[in-house]
């Protein structure tokens, strides 16, 4: 049975900022335009799409701007910075895709939705700081910020002290009904940027931001489940998921089942912070009724669906 033709396509960091390149907005736009080939092929083949994306370098830059303007412009909480990058990067992807679709005579609306992700206040992961963000500091500076701004600080390798924030597990996107409605009507929706803005419901039933960041692959899996997508398509900078990655006996995976990938994950083939979250997102999506997860490089977004490239993970 082939999966239904709604896909959530998660763009990795390299779609917009590439390692070793000077990071300018001109480059970010150029990379974004080049990243669209695979997505446009899916559009041509009649898929309904949500596009999600990472924001690591961009939110790092936003934090640096806050740092440099401290005392001159108001402090901004992390949630607002994530929202800013969802807007700014959403604009870049949206406009690039609109221009490309127009050039190819494809008439599909594109829109960006700032997405809030509900997290469980009682889940320990919501409070446990595990992710380094922003600049490196001396021990003295680190202590100052811990006191004045309430940041949690830890040493990161030998380069100094850094801020650490939790990476809560999202369970629902506030905007998912709207996203679903738009997608079902053929609109291409850019949503869940940077994993979405982490929030919780407070004792009065109000939404409240959390100073944390959500993994973009986990956020994408939540959106995919909620809109009833058949496919979660994770686009990164490797063509296939591998066992024994980077070792002489490396073995690339073509088609694997949910139980097989679970077993490989238990064996430790997929490190936290890179392939690990993608595999966890894949497992979650398939457990929740998803039909196909694809993991491959940007250009192969459509070929992987046809089984001609990349790694496909399927239900048992
Ligand atoms: P993205 O920005 O797309 O999320 P990441 O850097 O977080 O990219 O994850 C992709 C990276 O994961 C690849 O560049 C690769 O170096 C690394 N990786 C780690 N383990 C594996 C594995 N088992 N198979 C393939 N790639 C792996
Ligand atoms: Mg990543």
């Amino acid at each position: 049975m082939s999966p239904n033709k709604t896909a959530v396509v998660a763009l990795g960091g390299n779609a917009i900022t590439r390692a070793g390149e000077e990071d300018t907005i001109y480059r970010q736009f150029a990379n974004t335009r080049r990243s669209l080939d695979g997505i446009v092929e899916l559009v041509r083949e009649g898929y309904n799409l949500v596009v999600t994306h990472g924001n690591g370098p961009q939110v790092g830059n936003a934090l640096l701007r806050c740092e440099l303007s401290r005392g001159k412009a108001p402090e901004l909480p992390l949630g607002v910075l994530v929202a800013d990058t969802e807007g700014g990067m959403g604009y870049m992807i949206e406009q690039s895709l609109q221009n490309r679709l127009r050039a190819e005579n494809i008439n599909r609306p594109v829109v960006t939705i700032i997405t809030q992700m509900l997290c469980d206040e009682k889940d320990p992961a919501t409070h446990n700081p595990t992710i380094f963000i922003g600049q490196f500091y001396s021990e003295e500076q680190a202590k100052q910020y811990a006191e004045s701004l309430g940041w949690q600080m830890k040493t990161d390798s030998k380069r100094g002290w850094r801020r650490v924030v939790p990476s809560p597990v999202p369970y629902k996107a506030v905007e998912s009904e709207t996203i679903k409605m738009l997608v079902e009507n053929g609109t291409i929706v850019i949503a869940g940027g940077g994993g979405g803005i982490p929030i919780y419901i407070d004792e009065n039933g109000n939404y409240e931001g959390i100073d944390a960041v959500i993994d973009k692959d986990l956020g994408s899996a939540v959106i995919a489940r909620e809109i009833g997508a058949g496919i979660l398509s994770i686009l990164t900078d490797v063509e296939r998921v591998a066992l024994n990655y980077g070792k002489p006996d490396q073995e690339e995976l073509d088609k694997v089942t949910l139980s097989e990938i679970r077993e490989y994950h238990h064996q430790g083939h997929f490190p936290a912070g890179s392939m690990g979250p993608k595999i966890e997102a894949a497992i979650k999506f398939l457990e929740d009724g998803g039909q196909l997860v694809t993991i491959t490089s940007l250009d192969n977004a459509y070929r992987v669906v046809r089984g001609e490239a990349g790694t496909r993970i399927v239900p048992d």
Side-chain angles (χ1 to χ4, degrees), residues 57-123:
Q58 288 74 18
V59 85
N61 289 335
L63 285 159
L64 177 58
R65 286 189 198 97
C66 281
E67 180 82 32
L68 296 173
S69 66
R70 188 155 292 134
K72 300 194 174 80
E75 198 69 36
L76 292 173
L78 195 48
V80 173
L81 298 180
V82 174
D84 282 353
T85 64
E86 282 198 279
M89 297 181 76
Y91 157 64
M92 283 200 286
I93 299 167
E94 181 178 316
Q95 188 186 73
S96 302
L97 192 50
Q98 285 164 334
N99 286 338
R100 177 69 180 271
L101 294 176
R102 193 180 66 88
E104 303 214 8
N105 286 312
I106 302 171
N107 186 18
R108 295 275 295 270
V110 187
V111 73
T112 302
I113 304 251
I114 306 298
T115 312
Q116 302 177 77
M117 284 285 178
L118 281 163
C119 303
D120 182 359
E121 234 266 306
K122 294 188 184 74
D123 182 352

Side-chain angles (χ1 to χ4, degrees), residues 289-307:
Q291 296 166 301
L292 173 67
V293 175
T294 63
I295 303 180
T296 191
S297 48
L298 283 165
D299 300 341
N300 290 316
Y302 179 55
R303 244 169 297 160
V304 69
V305 174
R306 296 169 49 111

